[in-house]
Amino acid sequence: TYLIDGNSGATENNLLDSTGTATSMSVGSFVNNSQYGYQIQSAGPGVDANGDYNRNLLNGYMNNGGSGSVSMTLNSIPYSVYNIIVYFSSDTAGRIGTVNVGSTTYDFATMGPAEIGGVPATAGSGNATFTQTTDISGANPSADYAIFTDLTGSSQTISSTIASYGGIAGFQVVAVPEPSSMVLSGMGGLAVLLMSRRLQRN
């Protein structure tokens, strides 16, 4: 799984699965009003109390630059049927947004610093909080990820809009049926930090 800490707009090729093996998958065609990454806590929250790095995943995001949208396209997806999990973030709670893949659009309100245990968050002081949105009605529940299920095709575009500032923090592509090795491919904007630990949702 990859973390975002910035975005230059360059295509990332041969994304790795959970075993560290390169796949055919790439991510590019970034559309971003501001073309830069942002974060909840500039120093980074460090390792979670349980030893994972999920707070780092949610800390950084591809920023929309204010009242805009961000999108990216996944190409050469190596699975015939798969789910895409999209993580989104903002440094402020309560910002209204949507996230879209294919024909499905979910709505949400950002969680802000609460998703990384508040600010300042120090290494080992807490765990990330993962809250899923399944809402399509405009109720905008507080959330930081959505799951798009049973997708097909070798290419998908992920897009998100958030009122004021926020954006996509990362994604995973999971084969269906899920293999025993939990093969995942993930990317958050242009990744400059890597983590190999599997995400654990609370």
Side-chain angles (χ1 to χ4, degrees), residues 41-99:
Q41 179 174 303
S42 60
V47 63
D48 293 30
N50 63 9
D52 292 326
Y53 286 83
N54 295 326
R55 294 193 301 170
N56 279 347
L57 168 69
L58 295 172
N59 186 61
Y61 51 91
M62 195 168 93
N63 197 28
N64 68 9
S67 300
S69 63
V70 295
S71 67
M72 59 186 71
T73 299
L74 315 184
N75 294 303
S76 300
I77 297 170
Y79 313 126
S80 57
V81 183
Y82 51 89
N83 299 335
I84 293 180
I85 307 170
V86 182
Y87 302 90
F88 38 86
S89 191
S90 176
D91 62 347
T92 300
R95 290 174 171 165
I96 302 305
T98 62
V99 59

Side-chain angles (χ1 to χ4, degrees), residues 3 5 24 26 46 51-53 55 82 84 93-94 107 131 134 137 140:
L3 307 182
D5 224 27
S24 61
S26 66
D52 292 326
Y53 286 83
R55 294 193 301 170
Y82 51 89
I84 293 180
D107 57 77
T131 304
T134 58
S137 71
N140 300 302

